[in-house]
Amino acid sequence: MSVEETATEVTLTHPDNNKTFVKILKYGATVYSWSLEGQEQLWLSSAAKLDGSKPVRGGIPLVFPVFGKNEDDEFLSKLPQHGLARNSTWEFLGQVSANPPTVQFGLGPELANPELTKLWPMDYSLILTIELGSEHLKTHIEVSNTSSSQPLKFNWLFHTYLKIADIEDTLVSNLTGAKLYDQMLQESYVDRQPVVSFHEELDRIYQRVQEDRLIQVIDKGHPIHTVKRHNLPDVVAWNPWVEKSKGMADFEPKNGFKEMVCVEPGHVHSLLELQPGQSWTAYQLLYKDELNYQVL
Ligand SMILES: O=P(O)(O)OC[C@H]1O[C@H](O)[C@H](O)[C@@H](O)[C@@H]1O
């Protein structure tokens, strides 16, 4: 069977290779493991809670309807950091294709975390489609405004924790020339460095990165992850380094920051706004590619 469902999770296994699989927790519809021919591609904290008691520290948590904390919107500002999708149990909608194995999960206000839904009482429907290729993982989201009268304002982001060998040997490419908001310095500037390198905590929101820019994670000159985006113009790059990792109870081992980098495609610099009846779609595609410096 290429799709197996338990009470709490769904596993897709590729028909051509049983060491290529993806595991998705119904809680948060969080992909928490993606193995490609036996090689794990995503970082997961050894202290991550997989029992629905808090969002998963690692894998691909889903950020909706707000990234970080919103301070301006009457309703979004009441939600905790990163919203309610990652702390709600989604419905497994079933398999939509046999090869590549593809499944869907759904979320709406009737299913979402009730405490958080009280704070953000909007009508919406989310459909997450996960496709496991022999050499890729595609996560596709559709957001619909199901209200008959109110606009729907939101952010979306795939909070992808990529597994790497050593952060000090790692570069992230093809973000050069993009404007960014540096959450450490709390200021905006244009990145003029040829690549992003990591020597301390780094937390940057790159804005309006052209869609044809492939973001590559490079280990000692070799591209180990390539991230393609559709309708996700903003890219967050994050590594918590020593002090921030110490402060996160569910981040283990404490030197685990050396083996992860977050590259998070999203629409977070501004809010999306859908009128009643409208829908919006976007996807993230993780795969392997040749080294491709598009800008230096
Ligand atoms: O601890 P969390 O709420 O999961 O957030 C983890 C991180 O998410 C993003 O990458 C933000 O840019 C960071 O500022 C934040 O620390």
Side-chain angles (χ1 to χ4, degrees), residues 107-204:
L107 188 72
E110 68 295 345
L111 273 180
N113 184 312
E115 296 307 313
L116 301 180
T117 298
K118 270 188 225 151
L119 304 175
W120 188 68
M122 302 297 159
D123 288 324
Y124 63 92
S125 142
L126 302 181
I127 296 182
L128 175 75
T129 306
I130 298 178
E131 174 185 302
L132 176 69
S134 57
E135 293 179 354
H136 72 257
L137 179 68
K138 184 175 183 183
T139 51
H140 176 281
I141 187 67
E142 177 173 22
V143 181
S144 302
N145 179 355
T146 53
S147 162
S148 52
S149 53
Q150 302 291 323
L152 182 74
K153 292 185 197 167
F154 62 96
N155 294 139
W156 179 269
L157 175 129
F158 292 105
H159 198 305
T160 308
Y161 288 77
L162 296 168
K163 191 171 166 70
I164 57 175
D166 186 339
I167 190 69
E168 296 194 62
D169 292 332
T170 299
L171 302 173
V172 175
S173 72
N174 295 335
L175 290 165
T176 306
K179 188 171 175 190
L180 65 95
Y181 180 71
D182 189 318
Q183 305 223 75
M184 304 307 299
L185 301 175
Q186 304 206 338
E187 60 183 55
S188 296
Y189 55 93
V190 174
D191 192 356
R192 299 285 179 209
Q193 299 296 320
V195 285
V196 184
S197 57
F198 299 82
H199 314 285
E200 59 188 344
E201 183 180 351
L202 183 140
D203 191 353
R204 296 177 178 173

Side-chain angles (χ1 to χ4, degrees), residues 7-240:
T8 55
E9 62 181 64
V10 174
T11 303
L12 310 192
T13 306
H14 199 275
D16 299 344
N17 188 329
N18 64 10
K19 290 184 177 165
T20 295
F21 59 82
V22 61
K23 289 180 175 285
I24 309 132
L25 211 58
K26 292 182 186 175
Y27 185 73
T30 316
V31 170
Y32 72 90
S33 171
W34 170 38
S35 164
L36 207 53
E37 299 176 359
Q39 299 287 314
E40 179 59 49
Q41 304 296 309
L42 301 175
W43 184 84
L44 177 69
S45 164
S46 60
K49 299 283 182 208
L50 300 181
D51 60 0
S53 58
K54 66 180 296 188
V56 177
R57 177 68 62 200
I60 314 180
L62 304 175
V63 171
F64 171 87
V66 61
F67 172 76
K69 278 291 290 171
N70 178 289
E71 279 162 19
D72 310 316
D73 182 83
E74 185 187 347
F75 295 104
L76 289 171
S77 59
K78 302 208 168 93
L79 286 172
Q81 159 130 323
H82 296 345
L84 54 67
R86 66 176 183 165
N87 26 26
S88 295
T89 302
W90 292 50
E91 181 183 8
F92 178 50
L93 300 175
Q95 183 169 9
V96 291
S97 160
N99 195 2
T102 308
V103 293
Q104 291 186 322
F105 291 81
L107 188 72
E110 68 295 345
L111 273 180
N113 184 312
E115 296 307 313
L116 301 180
T117 298
K118 270 188 225 151
L119 304 175
W120 188 68
M122 302 297 159
D123 288 324
Y124 63 92
S125 142
L126 302 181
I127 296 182
L128 175 75
T129 306
I130 298 178
E131 174 185 302
L132 176 69
S134 57
E135 293 179 354
H136 72 257
L137 179 68
K138 184 175 183 183
T139 51
H140 176 281
I141 187 67
E142 177 173 22
V143 181
S144 302
N145 179 355
T146 53
S147 162
S148 52
S149 53
Q150 302 291 323
L152 182 74
K153 292 185 197 167
F154 62 96
N155 294 139
W156 179 269
L157 175 129
F158 292 105
H159 198 305
T160 308
Y161 288 77
L162 296 168
K163 191 171 166 70
I164 57 175
D166 186 339
I167 190 69
E168 296 194 62
D169 292 332
T170 299
L171 302 173
V172 175
S173 72
N174 295 335
L175 290 165
T176 306
K179 188 171 175 190
L180 65 95
Y181 180 71
D182 189 318
Q183 305 223 75
M184 304 307 299
L185 301 175
Q186 304 206 338
E187 60 183 55
S188 296
Y189 55 93
V190 174
D191 192 356
R192 299 285 179 209
Q193 299 296 320
V195 285
V196 184
S197 57
F198 299 82
H199 314 285
E200 59 188 344
E201 183 180 351
L202 183 140
D203 191 353
R204 296 177 178 173
I205 307 169
Y206 286 85
Q207 301 161 7
R208 301 191 197 98
V209 181
Q210 289 156 271
E211 183 145 320
D212 62 359
R213 294 276 185 93
L214 302 171
I215 313 303
Q216 294 199 299
V217 176
I218 302 165
D219 174 42
K220 296 193 212 72
H222 302 288
I224 52 170
H225 301 285
T226 300
V227 184
K228 185 173 157 64
R229 301 158 295 124
H230 175 59
N231 268 351
L232 299 171
D234 308 319
V235 179
V236 178
W238 181 57
N239 183 286

